Amino acid sequence: MDFALWISLVGVCAIGAMSPGPSLAVVLSHSMTRGLKQGLIASVAHGVGVGIYATLAVVGLAGFIHEFPIAYKVILFAGAAYLVYLAVNILRQKTNHFEITNNANTGNFAAAQDGFAIAFLNPKLAIFFLALFSQFIDPDSITISSAAIMCITVLVIDTLWYCLVSFITSHANQKFELLRYGKAINNMLAIAFILLAIRVVVTNI
């Protein structure tokens, strides 16, 4: 996978992971009310859930490309359109709709269950990764190694981010300061989606 393209993927995934939402709420609920250990467990479990969706998306796209190259072009532009759609919705949001709750579930298994479920039981992730990865897969040079790099990149970035959040907030007595900048982070993510969609359209026309 081209290094410059990989850096672009890293940037989009990093901003996406930082965007406040239900996943952050779950991790914070464990790290702030149950301690660092449970926060880290929830973070790793969440990363695994995200990694599974990423792997399914890459495998599905890789097989589809070889069997239906013309149809892949349709998915490519549909994916770009979906990213723009997500960006518009993000930019139109007036608030983050974010709230930290004191999770009633306790124990390491509960932390792992909550972290995994908030990712794996979110079908929007499947659609998102299909749209995202369609912008990064080159039909002429897709290999097992490049597919693995994309999946590992998503898993590692997501896990490291939430582990960092857990570490910082495990001893905090108030909300993580990131929430103050939630809108700005979401706007950055929206801009990244739009620029990525423009790059794909310009490159393929």
Side-chain angles (χ1 to χ4, degrees):
M1 186 178 189
D2 181 77
F3 181 74
L5 198 60
W6 179 75
I7 290 296
S8 298
L9 177 63
V10 169
V12 172
C13 290
I15 298 173
M18 292 170 63
S19 179
S23 296
L24 182 60
V26 167
V27 172
L28 287 180
S29 70
H30 282 283
S31 63
M32 294 181 69
T33 62
R34 307 298 177 188
L36 176 59
K37 182 179 180 180
Q38 286 201 22
L40 293 177
I41 291 174
S43 300
V44 173
H46 185 274
V48 171
V50 170
I52 290 175
Y53 265 133
T55 301
L56 292 175
V58 169
V59 171
L61 281 173
F64 196 80
I65 288 170
H66 292 292
E67 294 294 330
F68 308 100
I70 296 179
Y72 169 71
K73 285 290 185 180
V74 176
I75 291 181
L76 181 68
F77 290 111
Y82 182 70
L83 292 180
V84 173
Y85 168 77
L86 290 178
V88 171
N89 283 342
I90 291 172
L91 292 173
R92 291 176 61 184
Q93 287 180 358
K94 297 184 182 302
T95 62
N96 295 319
H97 302 291
F98 182 86
E99 182 180 356
I100 299 174
T101 59
N102 190 338
N103 199 308
N105 295 328
T106 60
N108 296 337
F109 179 78
Q113 176 181 292
D114 289 344
F116 182 81
I118 196 65
F120 192 72
L121 298 182
N122 181 6
K124 291 182 179 180
L125 273 181
I127 301 174
F128 170 73
F129 280 125
L130 283 174
L132 179 64
F133 285 156
S134 66
Q135 315 303 301
F136 287 92
I137 292 180
D138 184 351
D140 299 323
S141 61
I142 180 66
T143 62
I144 294 178
S145 61
S146 61
I149 288 174
M150 284 191 288
C151 294
I152 293 173
T153 297
V154 171
L155 189 153
V156 170
I157 289 177
D158 185 88
T159 301
L160 287 180
W161 169 249
Y162 285 115
C163 283
L164 176 62
V165 169
S166 297
F167 180 79
I168 293 175
T169 61
S170 59
H171 302 295
N173 294 318
Q174 57 184 7
K175 292 182 180 180
F176 187 34
E177 192 175 1
L178 170 66
L179 304 184
R180 184 184 305 176
Y181 306 104
K183 183 61 177 176
I185 293 173
N186 282 342
N187 288 343
M188 289 174 59
L189 180 61
I191 293 172
F193 283 168
I194 292 173
L195 292 177
L196 179 59
I198 292 174
R199 182 190 68 81
V200 170
V201 172
V202 171
T203 302
N204 288 274
I205 291 182

